[in-house]
């Protein structure tokens, strides 16, 4: 190991605290974390010069590849002017353009207002507060509860975490968060007193953190109908599914559903900078006009950050110039056939769950039984895949494969071959 790498690891182990990480193991003697040094296209290099395919798009953020010349240039150009100015009391051309372009993905008079924030959790947090305040200002103050789906994931700030349905992450905070009811299906919703419900939140088409579990086809449209019939707002968390991952720009477009609130983050900047957006309708926005106390008193220091907006606009431009969505069907079908053939060769692949360009491979013992959780089998397969040039993570024993949308057919094949070799 290079001396420099050793020093970085020592400093990290002495001072950093990593997300979702058992720090005792991370800092244990003999654990040598990868130090990522640079990226280009779908590839990442570590500080020792080894090269890996970015198999989880750098935690589900990267869209067009790393160090994309057009996105880099847009950020650099903006950096030459200024990196950040306040969006409180001022505006700037990039936020104005980006907001307009995001709204243009939806029919006129639907989603037409954009509130910027920083990441997936704040995009959700913002939708929750808007939904509650809207009811207070439209004569339904008691309609202040939220419904979320079992095993859903919407972020880690306290409001977003209250919506979370993954017991191992959120149970200990239940008592301190916002009261939320969890349901497993639309049938469960029907038995709830809907007059108290402000909104229902869902990850459309597929739950990500719940080991990549797609919803039944038609479920989202059915949920929209239930919400309409019961005067409940539909909040879509497209933090993971947004920006092409499912094959269309937004997952909701596949069932012709338009939500009352749409939460976007991760891929908004192509995966370059933290920026989020909460889109909502003119009807909801209008309830915040009038008396001063009706305003939405919410915001973050880096709201509508200039570099983030520059990256997001450049990313939308790349969608057009590289015809990203038009190239996806061929890539998605290569992924489907490649994974099916992997499953036929590898008895430990129990199920492939795929939604567009997002895939999860659930691993089980050949007799169909789950591995004992303490074995951390999924994690060990991902570690083995590193030796074959693929970086990804598992969620329990489901290995995630979520490549940048720009990945080539050869790169898709490389990812599948690496998993094959790791499983062998
Ligand atoms: N919603 C969904 C569906 C997510 O997958 C995530 C992150 N994995 C979040 C919200 C939270 O986003 P962030 O980590 O940017 O706060």
């Amino acid at each position: 190991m290079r001396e420099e790498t050793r020093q970085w690891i020592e400093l990290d182990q002495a001072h950093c605290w990593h997300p979702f990480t058992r720090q005792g193991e991370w800092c244990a003697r003999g654990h040598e974390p990868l130090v990522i040094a640079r990226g280009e296209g779908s590839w990442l290099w570590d500080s020792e010069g080894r090269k890996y395919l970015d198999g989880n798009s750098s935690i589900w953020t990267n869209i067009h590849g790393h160090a994309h010349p057009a996105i880099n240039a847009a950020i650099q150009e903006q950096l030459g002017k200024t990196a950040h100015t306040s969006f409180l009391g001022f505006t700037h051309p990039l936020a104005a353009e980006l907001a307009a372009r995001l709204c243009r993905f939806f029919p006129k008079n639907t989603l037409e207002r954009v509130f910027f924030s920083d990441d997936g959790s704040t995009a959700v947090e913002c939708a929750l507060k808007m939904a509650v305040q809207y009811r207070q200002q439209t004569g339904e103050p008691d309609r202040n509860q939220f419904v979320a789906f079992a095993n859903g994931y919407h972020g880690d700030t306290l409001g977003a975490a209250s919506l979370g349905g993954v017991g191992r992450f959120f149970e200990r905070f239940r008592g301190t968060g916002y009261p939320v009811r969890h349901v497993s299906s639309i049938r469960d919703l029907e038995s709830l007193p809907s007059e108290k419900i402000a909104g229902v939140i869902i990850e459309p088409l597929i739950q990500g953190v719940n080991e990549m579990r797609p919803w039944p086809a038609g479920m989202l449209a059915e949920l929209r109908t239930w919400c309409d019939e019961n005067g409940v707002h539909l909040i879509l968390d497209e933090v993971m599914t947004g920006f092409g991952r499912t094959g269309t720009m937004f997952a909701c477009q596949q069932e012709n559903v338009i939500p009352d609130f749409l939460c976007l983050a991760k891929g908004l900047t192509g995966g370059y900078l933290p920026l989020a957006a909460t889109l909502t309708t003119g009807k909801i926005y209008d309830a915040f006009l009038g008396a001063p106390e009706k305003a939405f008193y919410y915001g973050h220091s880096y709201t509508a950050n200039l570099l983030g907006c520059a990256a997001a606009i450049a990313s939308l431009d790349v969608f057009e110039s590289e015809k990203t969505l038009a190239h996806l069907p061929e890539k998605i079908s290569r992924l489907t056939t490649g994974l099916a053939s992997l499953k036929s060769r590898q008895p430990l692949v129990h199920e492939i769950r795929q939604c567009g360009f997002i895939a999860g491979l659930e691993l089980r013992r050949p007799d169909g039984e789950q591995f004992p959780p303490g074995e951390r089998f999924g994690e060990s397969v991902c570690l083995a895949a590193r030796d074959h040039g693929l970086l990804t993570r598992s969620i329990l024993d489901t290995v995630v494969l979520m490549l940048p949308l720009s990945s080539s057919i050869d790169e898709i094949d490389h990812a599948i071959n690496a998993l094959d070799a790791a499983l062998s």
Side-chain angles (χ1 to χ4, degrees), residues 290-352:
E293 64 276 13
K294 285 193 171 176
F296 189 51
Y297 291 113
Y298 177 98
H300 298 284
S301 314
Y302 283 99
T303 295
N305 172 257
L306 276 160
L307 299 180
C309 289
I313 291 171
S315 172
L316 294 181
D317 287 343
V318 174
F319 267 101
E320 289 172 16
S321 61
E322 295 186 0
K323 303 189 172 44
T324 306
L325 295 180
H327 291 303
L328 273 179
E330 188 197 352
K331 297 179 187 186
I332 291 169
S333 82
R334 184 67 164 221
L335 185 65
T336 310
T337 50
L339 290 175
S341 120
L342 174 72
K343 181 171 184 294
S344 70
R345 285 194 299 279
Q346 291 291 352
L348 300 183
V349 179
H350 174 74
E351 187 176 61
I352 308 276

Side-chain angles (χ1 to χ4, degrees), residues 26 132 176 252 309 315 352:
W26 180 268
V132 168
T176 48
C252 60
C309 289
S315 172
I352 308 276

Side-chain angles (χ1 to χ4, degrees), residues 20 59-61 118-124 152-157 160 201-204 206-209 237-241 263 265-266 274-276:
F20 288 95
I59 201 69
W60 315 351
T61 58
D118 306 339
D119 52 39
S121 306
T122 54
V124 169
Y153 182 93
H154 302 287
D156 289 324
T157 54
I201 184 160
I202 188 169
E203 295 159 80
I206 180 168
Q207 285 187 321
V209 173
D237 176 348
E238 292 230 25
V239 170
M240 175 186 80
T241 53
C263 304
K266 289 188 188 282
L275 181 74

Side-chain angles (χ1 to χ4, degrees), residues 100-164:
R101 285 181 68 172
L102 289 174
C103 293
R104 252 182 258 145
F105 286 109
F106 299 92
K108 253 193 169 346
N109 302 322
T110 60
L111 296 173
E112 55 186 34
R113 285 282 162 184
V114 179
F115 195 99
F116 290 108
S117 62
D118 306 339
D119 52 39
S121 306
T122 54
V124 169
E125 208 69 49
C126 171
L128 293 184
K129 286 197 165 180
M130 280 180 179
V132 168
Q133 191 173 334
Y134 173 84
R135 300 296 181 173
Q136 293 169 352
Q137 294 175 181
T138 52
E140 290 184 293
D142 295 334
R143 206 189 250 279
N144 57 8
Q145 295 177 5
F146 290 97
V147 175
F149 283 84
N151 297 309
Y153 182 93
H154 302 287
D156 289 324
T157 54
L158 206 48
S162 308
L163 301 167

Side-chain angles (χ1 to χ4, degrees), residues 4 10 44 59 61 166 170 174 184 192 194 199 203 206 246 249 251 300 315 327 333-334 343-344 351 357 382 398 413:
E4 256 188 326
E10 267 174 31
L44 295 169
I59 201 69
T61 58
V166 181
F170 304 123
R174 284 275 175 254
S184 299
L192 294 181
S194 66
E203 295 159 80
I206 180 168
T246 67
M249 197 62 171
H300 298 284
S315 172
H327 291 303
S333 82
R334 184 67 164 221
K343 181 171 184 294
S344 70
E351 187 176 61
F357 211 41
C382 293
T398 296
D413 292 348

Side-chain angles (χ1 to χ4, degrees), residues 205-377:
L205 298 197
I206 180 168
Q207 285 187 321
V209 173
N210 186 20
E211 302 169 79
M212 300 299 159
R213 263 173 231 283
W215 292 109
M219 185 269 199
L220 187 62
E222 219 186 311
L223 181 61
R224 176 73 272 185
T225 305
W226 184 88
C227 286
D228 288 342
E229 286 171 359
N230 291 279
V232 170
H233 284 149
L234 177 62
I235 306 170
L236 292 189
D237 176 348
E238 292 230 25
V239 170
M240 175 186 80
T241 53
F243 302 100
R245 292 271 180 223
T246 67
T248 45
M249 197 62 171
F250 301 106
C252 60
Q253 292 167 322
Q254 295 190 29
E255 297 201 8
N256 291 319
V257 163
I258 297 173
D260 301 288
F261 296 97
L262 177 68
C263 304
L264 303 173
K266 289 188 188 282
L268 171 59
T269 58
Y272 280 59
L273 287 158
L275 181 74
T278 306
L279 276 65
T280 193
T281 62
K283 181 175 178 208
I284 290 171
Y285 169 81
D286 285 348
F288 291 76
L289 305 177
E293 64 276 13
K294 285 193 171 176
F296 189 51
Y297 291 113
Y298 177 98
H300 298 284
S301 314
Y302 283 99
T303 295
N305 172 257
L306 276 160
L307 299 180
C309 289
I313 291 171
S315 172
L316 294 181
D317 287 343
V318 174
F319 267 101
E320 289 172 16
S321 61
E322 295 186 0
K323 303 189 172 44
T324 306
L325 295 180
H327 291 303
L328 273 179
E330 188 197 352
K331 297 179 187 186
I332 291 169
S333 82
R334 184 67 164 221
L335 185 65
T336 310
T337 50
L339 290 175
S341 120
L342 174 72
K343 181 171 184 294
S344 70
R345 285 194 299 279
Q346 291 291 352
L348 300 183
V349 179
H350 174 74
E351 187 176 61
I352 308 276
R353 292 187 287 268
Q354 190 184 346
C355 177
F357 211 41
I358 302 171
L361 292 77
E362 184 178 340
L363 308 178
R364 290 205 193 173
R365 296 190 334 202
D367 62 5
E369 289 295 307
Q370 292 179 332
F371 289 99
E375 220 168 274
R376 294 155 74 178
F377 190 74

